[in-house]
Amino acid sequence: MKQFYTYKEGLRDGVPIGLGYLSVSFGFGIAVVAGGLSPLIAILISMTNLTSAGQLAGLGIILAGGGMVEMALTQLVINVRYSLMALSLSQRLDKSFATPWRMLLSCFITDEIFAVASTKSERVGRNYFAGLSTAPYIGWTVGTALGALAGAILPDMVRNSLGLMLYGMFIAIIIPPARRERGVLFAVCTAVALSCIFYYVPLFDFLSGGFALIISAVVASVLAAVFFPVPAPHESTEGEVAA
C-alpha cells in the first residue's frame, strides 16, 4: 500500500514541535517538584499524558487532594477539543490507519501535531503520523525530566522563578487571539472573573479548585458562544455586502 509521506518525513516535521515542547515542559517538571512530588512522578505524568493545560490542571488537583471524579471532569473539559481534532483528522487518513493504529496514535494528538498533519495535501498514513509524534513526545518527556531534576537541586528562588515558564506559555497563547477576537477576549475575562469570585468570596469555600475551573471554563465558553457566535462560512461577515 503506497503511503505519500514516510516516517522520516514525519520525524523531520516533528522536530521543531519537539524542540518547543522541550523548553515548555521544563517548567512543568519544576512545578511538579515544587509541589512536593518526586521527579519520577513528573516523568511518568508526561510519559502518559501529552497535554500541557491538562497536566497543569491535574497537578493542581493532585496537590489539593482532589478526587478522581473531579480529575476526570477537569480533564474532559480541558481536553475535549482533542476529540474534535481527531474527528477532523480522521477524514484525511489513508487505509493504513486501521483501528488499532488509530487507538494508539490518537494519544499523541496535540494542537501543533494536528495543525501540521492537517496541512498535508495528500492523505496521511500511520508511518508519517508516528514519525510526526516521535519528536514531540520525546521532547515533552525529556524536558519534564530535566526540569524535575533541576528543580530538585536548584535553590527555591530560582526554582520558583523558572516555574513561571508554563504560565508564561499560556499567556503567550491567549494574548494574540484575544487581541484579534472580541469573543476570545470576552471568554478569557469571564473565566478570570469567575475564578477570582470562586477563590476570594467565602460563600464558595465549599467548592474545590478543580470544580471551580470546570465551572469557569464551561460558563465562559457558553456565554462567549451566545454573545459572540462564529458565523458560518456561507454567512456574510459584518461590513460585507451580500452579492
Side-chain angles (χ1 to χ4, degrees):
M1 180 185 301
K2 176 179 175 54
Q3 295 188 33
F4 291 99
Y5 306 108
T6 64
Y7 177 88
K8 185 177 180 180
E9 290 175 307
L11 186 63
R12 179 197 60 199
D13 292 345
V15 167
I17 302 175
L19 293 176
Y21 286 180
L22 181 68
S23 59
V24 172
S25 60
F26 189 89
F28 175 74
I30 289 180
V32 173
V33 174
L37 301 178
S38 69
L40 178 59
I41 294 297
I43 296 171
L44 289 176
I45 290 175
S46 284
M47 288 183 68
T48 54
N49 298 270
L50 196 59
T51 163
S52 54
Q55 288 182 217
L56 189 61
L59 175 63
I61 294 174
I62 292 173
L63 298 181
M68 295 298 293
V69 173
E70 185 178 347
M71 176 69 80
L73 289 175
T74 301
Q75 296 303 315
L76 176 63
V77 171
I78 292 177
N79 297 321
V80 70
R81 70 186 189 280
Y82 293 131
S83 298
L84 303 178
M85 292 179 189
L87 288 172
S88 174
L89 194 58
S90 67
Q91 309 304 310
R92 302 184 54 82
L93 304 180
D94 65 19
K95 294 183 179 180
S96 69
F97 241 115
T99 299
W101 284 102
R102 294 188 182 212
M103 295 174 64
L104 173 63
L105 295 178
S106 63
C107 300
F108 298 95
I109 294 178
T110 66
D111 302 78
E112 295 78 13
I113 290 175
F114 167 76
V116 172
S118 298
T119 59
K120 292 300 175 181
S121 58
E122 304 292 346
R123 290 190 174 273
V124 174
R126 66 170 187 259
N127 291 340
Y128 174 81
F129 196 87
L132 180 62
S133 305
T134 299
Y137 180 75
I138 294 175
W140 188 258
T141 303
V142 172
T144 300
L146 293 176
L149 295 175
I153 61 177
L154 290 175
D156 289 342
M157 181 177 66
V158 177
R159 183 174 61 196
N160 293 334
S161 299
L162 292 175
L164 297 176
M165 292 173 60
L166 206 58
Y167 300 97
M169 181 201 70
F170 292 133
I171 294 175
I173 291 174
I174 290 172
I175 294 300
R179 294 178 63 181
R180 295 192 304 266
E181 301 287 343
R182 289 183 299 171
V184 175
L185 179 61
F186 175 82
V188 171
C189 293
T190 302
V192 171
L194 289 174
S195 297
C196 290
I197 291 173
F198 290 139
Y199 186 82
Y200 290 107
V201 176
L203 179 64
F204 298 102
D205 285 345
F206 69 94
L207 201 62
S208 65
F211 281 112
L213 174 65
I214 294 171
I215 296 172
S216 299
V218 171
V219 171
S221 300
V222 170
L223 291 178
V226 171
F227 293 111
F228 299 93
V230 178
H234 64 278
E235 294 180 2
S236 59
T237 57
E238 183 179 356
E240 293 181 342
V241 179

